[in-house]
mmCIF file with all atom_site columns, all heavy atoms in Angstrom:
data_model
loop_
_atom_site.group_PDB
_atom_site.id
_atom_site.type_symbol
_atom_site.label_atom_id
_atom_site.label_alt_id
_atom_site.label_comp_id
_atom_site.label_asym_id
_atom_site.label_entity_id
_atom_site.label_seq_id
_atom_site.pdbx_PDB_ins_code
_atom_site.Cartn_x
_atom_site.Cartn_y
_atom_site.Cartn_z
_atom_site.occupancy
_atom_site.B_iso_or_equiv
_atom_site.pdbx_formal_charge
_atom_site.auth_seq_id
_atom_site.auth_comp_id
_atom_site.auth_asym_id
_atom_site.auth_atom_id
_atom_site.pdbx_PDB_model_num
ATOM 1   N N   . ARG R 1 95  ? 98.278 103.299 117.087 1.00 98.00 ? 95  ARG R N   1
ATOM 2   C CA  . ARG R 1 95  ? 97.011 103.855 117.592 1.00 98.00 ? 95  ARG R CA  1
ATOM 3   C C   . ARG R 1 95  ? 96.856 105.309 117.144 1.00 98.00 ? 95  ARG R C   1
ATOM 4   O O   . ARG R 1 95  ? 97.840 106.036 117.019 1.00 98.00 ? 95  ARG R O   1
ATOM 5   C CB  . ARG R 1 95  ? 96.995 103.791 119.137 1.00 98.00 ? 95  ARG R CB  1
ATOM 6   C CG  . ARG R 1 95  ? 97.135 102.385 119.724 1.00 98.00 ? 95  ARG R CG  1
ATOM 7   C CD  . ARG R 1 95  ? 95.925 101.504 119.367 1.00 98.00 ? 95  ARG R CD  1
ATOM 8   N NE  . ARG R 1 95  ? 94.662 102.164 119.686 1.00 98.00 ? 95  ARG R NE  1
ATOM 9   C CZ  . ARG R 1 95  ? 94.088 102.163 120.903 1.00 98.00 ? 95  ARG R CZ  1
ATOM 10  N NH1 . ARG R 1 95  ? 94.661 101.525 121.903 1.00 98.00 ? 95  ARG R NH1 1
ATOM 11  N NH2 . ARG R 1 95  ? 92.935 102.790 121.115 1.00 98.00 ? 95  ARG R NH2 1
ATOM 12  N N   . TRP R 1 96  ? 95.631 105.700 116.929 1.00 98.00 ? 96  TRP R N   1
ATOM 13  C CA  . TRP R 1 96  ? 95.322 107.075 116.556 1.00 98.00 ? 96  TRP R CA  1
ATOM 14  C C   . TRP R 1 96  ? 94.320 107.644 117.562 1.00 98.00 ? 96  TRP R C   1
ATOM 15  O O   . TRP R 1 96  ? 93.461 106.891 118.055 1.00 98.00 ? 96  TRP R O   1
ATOM 16  C CB  . TRP R 1 96  ? 94.733 107.115 115.148 1.00 98.00 ? 96  TRP R CB  1
ATOM 17  C CG  . TRP R 1 96  ? 95.773 107.020 114.070 1.00 98.00 ? 96  TRP R CG  1
ATOM 18  C CD1 . TRP R 1 96  ? 96.370 108.073 113.423 1.00 98.00 ? 96  TRP R CD1 1
ATOM 19  C CD2 . TRP R 1 96  ? 96.374 105.825 113.526 1.00 98.00 ? 96  TRP R CD2 1
ATOM 20  N NE1 . TRP R 1 96  ? 97.306 107.592 112.509 1.00 98.00 ? 96  TRP R NE1 1
ATOM 21  C CE2 . TRP R 1 96  ? 97.329 106.234 112.552 1.00 98.00 ? 96  TRP R CE2 1
ATOM 22  C CE3 . TRP R 1 96  ? 96.212 104.451 113.767 1.00 98.00 ? 96  TRP R CE3 1
ATOM 23  C CZ2 . TRP R 1 96  ? 98.101 105.323 111.813 1.00 98.00 ? 96  TRP R CZ2 1
ATOM 24  C CZ3 . TRP R 1 96  ? 96.979 103.551 113.048 1.00 98.00 ? 96  TRP R CZ3 1
ATOM 25  C CH2 . TRP R 1 96  ? 97.915 103.987 112.088 1.00 98.00 ? 96  TRP R CH2 1
ATOM 26  N N   . THR R 1 97  ? 94.430 108.927 117.828 1.00 98.00 ? 97  THR R N   1
ATOM 27  C CA  . THR R 1 97  ? 93.550 109.510 118.855 1.00 98.00 ? 97  THR R CA  1
ATOM 28  C C   . THR R 1 97  ? 92.072 109.427 118.464 1.00 98.00 ? 97  THR R C   1
ATOM 29  O O   . THR R 1 97  ? 91.213 109.510 119.328 1.00 98.00 ? 97  THR R O   1
ATOM 30  C CB  . THR R 1 97  ? 93.908 110.993 119.140 1.00 98.00 ? 97  THR R CB  1
ATOM 31  O OG1 . THR R 1 97  ? 93.909 111.711 117.908 1.00 98.00 ? 97  THR R OG1 1
ATOM 32  C CG2 . THR R 1 97  ? 95.278 111.101 119.781 1.00 98.00 ? 97  THR R CG2 1
ATOM 33  N N   . GLU R 1 98  ? 91.813 109.256 117.178 1.00 98.00 ? 98  GLU R N   1
ATOM 34  C CA  . GLU R 1 98  ? 90.415 109.141 116.754 1.00 98.00 ? 98  GLU R CA  1
ATOM 35  C C   . GLU R 1 98  ? 90.039 107.704 116.405 1.00 98.00 ? 98  GLU R C   1
ATOM 36  O O   . GLU R 1 98  ? 89.043 107.471 115.705 1.00 98.00 ? 98  GLU R O   1
ATOM 37  C CB  . GLU R 1 98  ? 90.152 110.068 115.557 1.00 98.00 ? 98  GLU R CB  1
ATOM 38  C CG  . GLU R 1 98  ? 90.355 111.546 115.859 1.00 98.00 ? 98  GLU R CG  1
ATOM 39  C CD  . GLU R 1 98  ? 89.452 112.035 116.992 1.00 98.00 ? 98  GLU R CD  1
ATOM 40  O OE1 . GLU R 1 98  ? 88.248 111.712 116.970 1.00 98.00 ? 98  GLU R OE1 1
ATOM 41  O OE2 . GLU R 1 98  ? 89.958 112.714 117.914 1.00 98.00 ? 98  GLU R OE2 1
ATOM 42  N N   . ASP R 1 99  ? 90.830 106.724 116.860 1.00 98.00 ? 99  ASP R N   1
ATOM 43  C CA  . ASP R 1 99  ? 90.490 105.335 116.508 1.00 98.00 ? 99  ASP R CA  1
ATOM 44  C C   . ASP R 1 99  ? 89.358 104.797 117.384 1.00 98.00 ? 99  ASP R C   1
ATOM 45  O O   . ASP R 1 99  ? 88.813 105.500 118.234 1.00 98.00 ? 99  ASP R O   1
ATOM 46  C CB  . ASP R 1 99  ? 91.750 104.442 116.470 1.00 98.00 ? 99  ASP R CB  1
ATOM 47  C CG  . ASP R 1 99  ? 92.340 104.109 117.844 1.00 98.00 ? 99  ASP R CG  1
ATOM 48  O OD1 . ASP R 1 99  ? 91.609 104.138 118.855 1.00 98.00 ? 99  ASP R OD1 1
ATOM 49  O OD2 . ASP R 1 99  ? 93.551 103.796 117.890 1.00 98.00 ? 99  ASP R OD2 1
ATOM 50  N N   . ARG R 1 100 ? 89.016 103.554 117.162 1.00 98.00 ? 100 ARG R N   1
ATOM 51  C CA  . ARG R 1 100 ? 87.817 102.965 117.757 1.00 98.00 ? 100 ARG R CA  1
ATOM 52  C C   . ARG R 1 100 ? 87.811 102.959 119.297 1.00 98.00 ? 100 ARG R C   1
ATOM 53  O O   . ARG R 1 100 ? 86.759 103.073 119.922 1.00 98.00 ? 100 ARG R O   1
ATOM 54  C CB  . ARG R 1 100 ? 87.710 101.528 117.219 1.00 98.00 ? 100 ARG R CB  1
ATOM 55  C CG  . ARG R 1 100 ? 86.430 100.807 117.529 1.00 98.00 ? 100 ARG R CG  1
ATOM 56  C CD  . ARG R 1 100 ? 86.373 99.519  116.696 1.00 98.00 ? 100 ARG R CD  1
ATOM 57  N NE  . ARG R 1 100 ? 85.355 98.599  117.144 1.00 98.00 ? 100 ARG R NE  1
ATOM 58  C CZ  . ARG R 1 100 ? 84.075 98.686  116.812 1.00 98.00 ? 100 ARG R CZ  1
ATOM 59  N NH1 . ARG R 1 100 ? 83.665 99.652  116.015 1.00 98.00 ? 100 ARG R NH1 1
ATOM 60  N NH2 . ARG R 1 100 ? 83.202 97.806  117.265 1.00 98.00 ? 100 ARG R NH2 1
ATOM 61  N N   . HIS R 1 101 ? 88.986 102.814 119.907 1.00 98.00 ? 101 HIS R N   1
ATOM 62  C CA  . HIS R 1 101 ? 89.035 102.674 121.370 1.00 98.00 ? 101 HIS R CA  1
ATOM 63  C C   . HIS R 1 101 ? 89.792 103.790 122.101 1.00 98.00 ? 101 HIS R C   1
ATOM 64  O O   . HIS R 1 101 ? 89.701 103.884 123.319 1.00 98.00 ? 101 HIS R O   1
ATOM 65  C CB  . HIS R 1 101 ? 89.731 101.358 121.759 1.00 98.00 ? 101 HIS R CB  1
ATOM 66  C CG  . HIS R 1 101 ? 89.053 100.124 121.313 1.00 98.00 ? 101 HIS R CG  1
ATOM 67  N ND1 . HIS R 1 101 ? 89.178 99.631  120.035 1.00 98.00 ? 101 HIS R ND1 1
ATOM 68  C CD2 . HIS R 1 101 ? 88.227 99.257  121.967 1.00 98.00 ? 101 HIS R CD2 1
ATOM 69  C CE1 . HIS R 1 101 ? 88.477 98.515  119.928 1.00 98.00 ? 101 HIS R CE1 1
ATOM 70  N NE2 . HIS R 1 101 ? 87.892 98.263  121.072 1.00 98.00 ? 101 HIS R NE2 1
ATOM 71  N N   . PHE R 1 102 ? 90.561 104.590 121.391 1.00 98.00 ? 102 PHE R N   1
ATOM 72  C CA  . PHE R 1 102 ? 91.466 105.532 122.056 1.00 98.00 ? 102 PHE R CA  1
ATOM 73  C C   . PHE R 1 102 ? 90.731 106.445 123.039 1.00 98.00 ? 102 PHE R C   1
ATOM 74  O O   . PHE R 1 102 ? 89.667 106.951 122.691 1.00 98.00 ? 102 PHE R O   1
ATOM 75  C CB  . PHE R 1 102 ? 92.185 106.389 121.001 1.00 98.00 ? 102 PHE R CB  1
ATOM 76  C CG  . PHE R 1 102 ? 93.478 106.967 121.502 1.00 98.00 ? 102 PHE R CG  1
ATOM 77  C CD1 . PHE R 1 102 ? 94.662 106.275 121.354 1.00 98.00 ? 102 PHE R CD1 1
ATOM 78  C CD2 . PHE R 1 102 ? 93.503 108.201 122.145 1.00 98.00 ? 102 PHE R CD2 1
ATOM 79  C CE1 . PHE R 1 102 ? 95.853 106.791 121.831 1.00 98.00 ? 102 PHE R CE1 1
ATOM 80  C CE2 . PHE R 1 102 ? 94.697 108.717 122.630 1.00 98.00 ? 102 PHE R CE2 1
ATOM 81  C CZ  . PHE R 1 102 ? 95.872 108.018 122.468 1.00 98.00 ? 102 PHE R CZ  1
ATOM 82  N N   . PRO R 1 103 ? 91.261 106.740 124.243 1.00 98.00 ? 103 PRO R N   1
ATOM 83  C CA  . PRO R 1 103 ? 92.568 106.298 124.751 1.00 98.00 ? 103 PRO R CA  1
ATOM 84  C C   . PRO R 1 103 ? 92.531 104.936 125.437 1.00 98.00 ? 103 PRO R C   1
ATOM 85  O O   . PRO R 1 103 ? 93.508 104.570 126.095 1.00 98.00 ? 103 PRO R O   1
ATOM 86  C CB  . PRO R 1 103 ? 92.915 107.398 125.766 1.00 98.00 ? 103 PRO R CB  1
ATOM 87  C CG  . PRO R 1 103 ? 91.586 107.775 126.343 1.00 98.00 ? 103 PRO R CG  1
ATOM 88  C CD  . PRO R 1 103 ? 90.592 107.636 125.201 1.00 98.00 ? 103 PRO R CD  1
ATOM 89  N N   . ASN R 1 104 ? 91.447 104.212 125.309 1.00 98.00 ? 104 ASN R N   1
ATOM 90  C CA  . ASN R 1 104 ? 91.416 102.877 125.905 1.00 98.00 ? 104 ASN R CA  1
ATOM 91  C C   . ASN R 1 104 ? 92.335 101.924 125.142 1.00 98.00 ? 104 ASN R C   1
ATOM 92  O O   . ASN R 1 104 ? 92.664 102.149 123.971 1.00 98.00 ? 104 ASN R O   1
ATOM 93  C CB  . ASN R 1 104 ? 89.985 102.320 125.871 1.00 98.00 ? 104 ASN R CB  1
ATOM 94  C CG  . ASN R 1 104 ? 89.034 103.112 126.767 1.00 98.00 ? 104 ASN R CG  1
ATOM 95  O OD1 . ASN R 1 104 ? 89.473 103.797 127.685 1.00 98.00 ? 104 ASN R OD1 1
ATOM 96  N ND2 . ASN R 1 104 ? 87.747 103.019 126.482 1.00 98.00 ? 104 ASN R ND2 1
ATOM 97  N N   . ALA R 1 105 ? 92.690 100.836 125.807 1.00 98.00 ? 105 ALA R N   1
ATOM 98  C CA  . ALA R 1 105 ? 93.368 99.734  125.129 1.00 98.00 ? 105 ALA R CA  1
ATOM 99  C C   . ALA R 1 105 ? 92.414 99.146  124.084 1.00 98.00 ? 105 ALA R C   1
ATOM 100 O O   . ALA R 1 105 ? 91.192 99.290  124.207 1.00 98.00 ? 105 ALA R O   1
ATOM 101 C CB  . ALA R 1 105 ? 93.748 98.661  126.148 1.00 98.00 ? 105 ALA R CB  1
ATOM 102 N N   . VAL R 1 106 ? 92.941 98.496  123.083 1.00 98.00 ? 106 VAL R N   1
ATOM 103 C CA  . VAL R 1 106 ? 92.061 97.881  122.064 1.00 98.00 ? 106 VAL R CA  1
ATOM 104 C C   . VAL R 1 106 ? 91.246 96.740  122.664 1.00 98.00 ? 106 VAL R C   1
ATOM 105 O O   . VAL R 1 106 ? 90.279 96.278  122.053 1.00 98.00 ? 106 VAL R O   1
ATOM 106 C CB  . VAL R 1 106 ? 92.848 97.369  120.828 1.00 98.00 ? 106 VAL R CB  1
ATOM 107 C CG1 . VAL R 1 106 ? 93.607 98.511  120.152 1.00 98.00 ? 106 VAL R CG1 1
ATOM 108 C CG2 . VAL R 1 106 ? 93.804 96.227  121.177 1.00 98.00 ? 106 VAL R CG2 1
ATOM 109 N N   . TRP R 1 107 ? 91.637 96.296  123.875 1.00 97.00 ? 107 TRP R N   1
ATOM 110 C CA  . TRP R 1 107 ? 90.872 95.253  124.564 1.00 97.00 ? 107 TRP R CA  1
ATOM 111 C C   . TRP R 1 107 ? 89.819 95.872  125.489 1.00 97.00 ? 107 TRP R C   1
ATOM 112 O O   . TRP R 1 107 ? 89.130 95.152  126.210 1.00 97.00 ? 107 TRP R O   1
ATOM 113 C CB  . TRP R 1 107 ? 91.813 94.352  125.375 1.00 97.00 ? 107 TRP R CB  1
ATOM 114 C CG  . TRP R 1 107 ? 92.859 93.752  124.501 1.00 97.00 ? 107 TRP R CG  1
ATOM 115 C CD1 . TRP R 1 107 ? 92.701 92.651  123.680 1.00 97.00 ? 107 TRP R CD1 1
ATOM 116 C CD2 . TRP R 1 107 ? 94.204 94.211  124.320 1.00 97.00 ? 107 TRP R CD2 1
ATOM 117 N NE1 . TRP R 1 107 ? 93.873 92.430  123.004 1.00 97.00 ? 107 TRP R NE1 1
ATOM 118 C CE2 . TRP R 1 107 ? 94.817 93.359  123.375 1.00 97.00 ? 107 TRP R CE2 1
ATOM 119 C CE3 . TRP R 1 107 ? 94.945 95.258  124.862 1.00 97.00 ? 107 TRP R CE3 1
ATOM 120 C CZ2 . TRP R 1 107 ? 96.141 93.523  122.959 1.00 97.00 ? 107 TRP R CZ2 1
ATOM 121 C CZ3 . TRP R 1 107 ? 96.262 95.424  124.451 1.00 97.00 ? 107 TRP R CZ3 1
ATOM 122 C CH2 . TRP R 1 107 ? 96.849 94.561  123.515 1.00 97.00 ? 107 TRP R CH2 1
ATOM 123 N N   . GLY R 1 108 ? 89.747 97.189  125.508 1.00 97.00 ? 108 GLY R N   1
ATOM 124 C CA  . GLY R 1 108 ? 88.835 97.871  126.405 1.00 97.00 ? 108 GLY R CA  1
ATOM 125 C C   . GLY R 1 108 ? 87.545 98.270  125.697 1.00 97.00 ? 108 GLY R C   1
ATOM 126 O O   . GLY R 1 108 ? 87.221 97.783  124.607 1.00 97.00 ? 108 GLY R O   1
#
Side-chain angles (χ1 to χ4, degrees):
Chain R
R95 301 295 309 276
W96 281 266
T97 54
E98 298 301 314
D99 73 24
R100 189 169 166 82
H101 297 81
F102 203 90
N104 294 339
V106 301
W107 303 280

